[in-house]
Amino acid sequence: MEGLRVTRGLSIRNIGLSMLMMISILAVIGCSKDVAVDPDQPTVQVGETTLVIGAYSVAKDALTEILPQFQQEWEQKTGQIVKFQESYEASGTQARAIAGGFEADVTLLAMEGDIDKLIRANLLDASWKNKPESGMVSRSIVVLGTREGNPLGIQDFTDLTKPGVKVVYPNPKTSGGAQWDINAIYGAGLKFSEEQGKKDPELAKQFLEQVHHNIESLDKSGRSSMAAFEYGVGDVIVTYENELRARIAKGVKYDIVVPRDTILIENPAAVVSKYADKHGTREVAEAFVAYLWSEDAQRIFAKHGFRSVNEVIYNENKSEFPIPEGLFDIEYLGGWEHVRETIYSKRGVWYQVLAGL
């Protein structure tokens, strides 16, 4: 009888195991027939993830609106909640921080030259430019900001050389925005020299020296210079057009003077691939950077005074963004590598201007 009980117990267990195996097989067959994988849908796991953003200070206001919009769209698409850790610094400072170990998954910087620092640090690949608009997510130009009513009658960069005119711009050693400012002034000097017969770097350097002679404040970032100017420092600020437009939109009384010859600013964004791969955030990081070219994000950039890289959005705001007669880009100065060597190296033009050489 004992043997019979044991045999019956084993039989019951065997039947139960067989039933479980059959149910599992049917479930697998059912899944393989009915569930298709959509290759276009993200494959992220549901839950939470954190994306670390390291950006230049001027982008902060626009990103404050863009981040929650992306967060909502991503959750609707994938079910995953994205949280953000944000850092805003002068572009050069931010690039050095990331190169030095600040593990940002995504960076938005003031200029391509600062992205190059991250490439040299082996944090991302040169392929970052294989994106829409060669990786640039916003544009602007260098302009002059004056007190309301333009009391000194400032019309162009040449007016910044006049005796008694107090000029404000940030330090190009720490600020990408400042490098755009210095490039604009130096480039305007090159344009003036061309009118006299040839493109002459020495005359451009002399023109930069004359402007810098009237410097009143040399701050660490474009945002810091804007704060100093708003506090009452200086008569004229050399800055991004979008910075002034953003302040005017908030009720601050400034006049914008667009120089005849000035530079086109282009601001890049990129996934810092080494850190994103380390954190397992590569997919959401790539999706966020791609979102920056969307019409929704570009409208926010335009709202905050940037010139949109999206043709549709730019045309919607075209009347607000006149194109200066002598607008030039970084290639007019020889490209970023040449600019670093000739203007910002240890013996370059900027060093000579500061040293009075």
Side-chain angles (χ1 to χ4, degrees), residues 41 112 169 178 195 226 311 328:
Q41 288 297 315
E112 184 178 336
Y169 49 71
E195 293 175 0
M226 199 72 241
E311 186 176 357
F328 57 91

Side-chain angles (χ1 to χ4, degrees), residues 25-319:
I25 291 168
L26 289 171
V28 170
I29 292 171
C31 287
S32 65
K33 286 177 63 178
D34 299 333
V35 178
V37 177
D38 185 349
D40 295 327
Q41 288 297 315
T43 58
V44 296
Q45 296 181 357
V46 175
E48 288 188 0
T49 192
T50 298
L51 206 59
V52 182
I53 309 291
Y56 71 113
S57 57
V58 174
K60 182 176 182 179
D61 291 344
L63 286 179
T64 297
E65 293 190 42
I66 290 172
L67 293 178
Q69 287 202 181
F70 171 77
Q71 184 181 52
Q72 181 179 8
E73 181 174 301
W74 186 251
E75 185 176 1
Q76 289 174 348
K77 182 182 292 186
T78 69
Q80 185 179 56
I81 297 171
V82 181
K83 294 185 176 180
F84 296 97
Q85 290 181 1
E86 305 159 51
S87 169
Y88 299 95
E89 292 285 352
S91 185
T93 301
Q94 189 68 269
R96 283 191 294 274
I98 295 171
F102 168 49
E103 296 187 359
D105 301 302
V106 172
T107 189
L108 289 84
L109 296 173
M111 60 185 189
E112 184 178 336
D114 283 335
I115 294 285
D116 289 342
K117 295 174 185 176
L118 306 185
I119 294 174
R120 292 195 297 273
N122 296 316
L123 297 178
L124 55 82
D125 303 324
S127 60
W128 73 273
K129 293 192 73 175
N130 298 336
K131 302 284 186 181
E133 306 301 330
S134 298
M136 305 301 160
V137 296
S138 59
R139 295 190 179 111
S140 192
I141 60 174
V142 172
V143 298
L144 308 175
T146 73
R147 304 299 174 187
E148 185 179 13
N150 192 3
L152 298 183
I154 303 296
Q155 298 299 321
D156 211 334
F157 283 124
T158 52
D159 294 319
L160 305 189
T161 67
K162 294 178 179 178
V165 176
K166 299 175 181 178
V167 179
V168 176
Y169 49 71
N171 189 337
K173 286 297 183 183
T174 57
S175 168
Q179 289 194 26
W180 285 118
D181 298 337
I182 299 305
N183 294 346
I185 297 168
Y186 181 82
L190 285 177
K191 289 274 189 176
F192 301 152
S193 72
E194 279 192 296
E195 293 175 0
Q196 299 176 27
K198 68 173 185 176
K199 190 176 180 181
D200 189 339
E202 183 57 32
L203 286 179
K205 174 197 162 188
Q206 292 174 14
F207 181 68
L208 178 58
E209 286 177 331
Q210 292 170 349
V211 173
H212 190 69
H213 179 76
N214 285 340
I215 193 71
E216 179 75 3
S217 178
L218 196 65
D219 300 287
K220 74 171 187 176
S221 71
R223 184 54 56 91
S224 296
S225 280
M226 199 72 241
F229 189 64
E230 195 160 308
Y231 189 71
V233 176
D235 303 311
V236 185
I237 183 169
V238 184
T239 189
Y240 286 18
E241 177 187 50
N242 58 278
E243 271 286 80
L244 287 171
R245 285 187 168 277
R247 300 307 300 150
I248 291 170
K250 293 180 179 180
V252 183
K253 304 297 183 181
Y254 296 133
D255 282 10
I256 298 176
V257 176
V258 178
R260 184 195 65 177
D261 302 309
T262 191
I263 197 166
L264 176 68
I265 295 169
E266 296 187 289
N267 312 124
V271 174
V272 187
S273 51
K274 181 175 181 179
Y275 294 145
D277 289 341
K278 176 181 177 180
H279 302 155
T281 57
R282 181 66 171 266
E283 187 169 6
V284 65
E286 293 283 2
F288 173 70
V289 171
Y291 182 76
L292 296 175
W293 287 289
S294 71
E295 289 193 2
D296 287 343
Q298 286 296 309
R299 280 195 176 90
I300 293 173
F301 279 123
K303 173 184 173 183
H304 289 277
F306 289 93
R307 296 180 176 223
S308 176
V309 299
N310 181 296
E311 186 176 357
V312 172
I313 307 305
Y314 177 78
N315 287 334
E316 288 177 1
N317 302 276
K318 192 172 183 178
S319 62

